[in-house]
Amino acid sequence: MSPASLNSAKQSSVSGNPDILTEAQIPSVVGEVLATTPVIDIHTHLYPPSFGELGLWGIDELLTYHYLEAELFRSSNIKPHEYWPLSKREQADAIWQALFVENTPVSEATRGVVAVLHAFHLPTDRLDLAEARSFFEDQTIESHIQRVLEMAGVNVVVMTNDPLDPLEAPFWLNGVARNGQFRAVLRLDRILCTWSAHWQMLASQGYKVDEHAAGKSPSEVRRFLMDWQSRMQPIYMAVSLPDTFAYPQETAGKRLLKEAVLPVCRELDIPLSLMIGVRRQANPALRLAGDAVGRADLRALEHLCREFPDNRFLVSVLSRENQHELCVYARKFSNLMPFGCWWFLNNPSIVEEITRERIEMLGTSFIPQHSDARVLEQVIYKWNNTRRTMTHILSDTYRLLSKDGRNITRADIQRDVTRLFRSNAENWTGWRAASDQQPQTQTLCNHNPSAVACERTCARRQPCLDWMSASRQPASESSQLILQGKYG
């Protein structure tokens, strides 16, 4: 069929079916669906109120975020050894003066602070922080968290929880109150990456381990992980790995990975998240801001996926140069789920490049983004940026598909957005956010008419279109503001 005939046939089809979108309608519908679909933020460093001061929020924390600290040392004469002794308030004032008063805040991290202030109707161009500080001091953390998550369009936050962190572990050991919107992740860096420096912490708790992870150590680490699984109920385990990560390799960490971590993940039927590519402390004087990035050899990932087909791996790589290779491996191994644009990659230009590549190679079988937020209010600008970028990407994708002859409906877009930002995370972790975060319905499932679809998915583990249409609510005020571009 000629292009002219194809277009003529499509136009006739559109005119005869009001559900089919024209190419001109696609961008606005994509934007609306993205704005009104709550997301699962699959990786953050946030905490609920029950964790006290571990949870960071407010203007001083936003400004002393390590991304901005690194920029400060490039745009002012202050030296790291002069900066670190300052109080938090003094550090925030120095960063505001250097990056927002003396310079235009055009970087991604500085624009994020501007977007947060604007979202709360606070001035973005004052010489001091008096009004912003007054606003945040008036907030109560419980209601503030709910407001921020609603503004960001996030209804589930996945944390990062280290059982060997001396500040965090006591909360869990003392039976910290759980919050249904915050889900735990059991972080393993101190076990898998720096075992020699931390094995005595396990030994002091009664686990029979040694410095070389020999003898009973793997079985005792399995016992340790099962004990902490009972406390945390994590939806996955996770480790951040250097760019030099290799597997197989005979080290204590690799032995524990193979003989302890992966068997426990299989037994619990939860994924292991591998975040690969950080080069720790390239400049120690910058502290947390001193980490860098290196290109990794992803043959280690190939070996793991092939050797352990019954384990699921949730993978993010830090180097831009590793992204295409990760997509290729995801096409070869169905137990590999790429997720997010991590850390230095979380800039709109790079996010767009990576996400387009993933859609072209993997369809919708990946998780596009996570916020990686360390300060509560960061989710506002990070998810606003994601929605803005994804609107362009998905609109272009659907327009191309429409030109190639496939009709596009709102239901198609809703199904895809739900899969990308909710169902893939739910299915991969084996956990349903819908069971405690979404309203239930007694609508019959259109995939299996004899079954009731009460948790957004049916027996085929696909989003149920009947559920989505039956439970869709009018857009909230926050969603309407997102649609109008007023959050950021």
Side-chain angles (χ1 to χ4, degrees), residues 44 50 53 101 119 133 144 157 186 206 230 238 245 271 278 302 310 380 419-420 430 440 447 473:
T44 78
S50 53
E53 294 184 359
V101 177
R133 285 193 173 117
H144 186 58
V157 174
L186 208 168
S230 297
F245 173 69
V278 61
E302 173 189 335
D310 295 327
I380 296 173
R419 184 183 184 193
L420 287 166
Q440 294 190 350
H447 296 139
Q473 303 295 324

Side-chain angles (χ1 to χ4, degrees), residues 184-186 228-237 268 270:
V185 164
L186 208 168
W228 278 91
Q229 185 276 335
S230 297
R231 293 187 184 99
M232 289 183 175
Q233 299 177 18
I235 64 172
Y236 62 84
M237 296 188 192
L268 298 174
I270 61 175

Side-chain angles (χ1 to χ4, degrees), residues 408-422:
I408 305 298
T409 67
R410 183 191 181 97
D412 294 328
I413 297 170
Q414 181 67 72
R415 177 188 59 208
D416 295 343
V417 169
T418 298
R419 184 183 184 193
L420 287 166
F421 290 102
R422 297 193 63 83

Side-chain angles (χ1 to χ4, degrees), residues 256-315:
L256 294 175
L257 173 64
K258 180 177 181 178
E259 299 180 23
V261 173
L262 290 172
V264 170
C265 285
R266 288 196 298 273
E267 182 176 348
L268 298 174
D269 193 27
I270 61 175
L272 174 63
S273 173
L274 305 174
M275 305 181 76
I276 307 171
V278 61
R279 186 167 294 171
R280 296 290 183 195
Q281 294 299 277
N283 185 353
L286 302 190
R287 299 189 182 181
L288 192 58
D291 292 343
V293 57
R295 180 174 181 174
D297 184 349
L298 293 191
R299 284 178 294 183
L301 184 59
E302 173 189 335
H303 294 314
L304 286 169
C305 289
R306 185 171 59 240
E307 185 174 342
F308 303 100
D310 295 327
N311 281 96
R312 299 191 302 282
F313 297 96
L314 188 63
V315 180

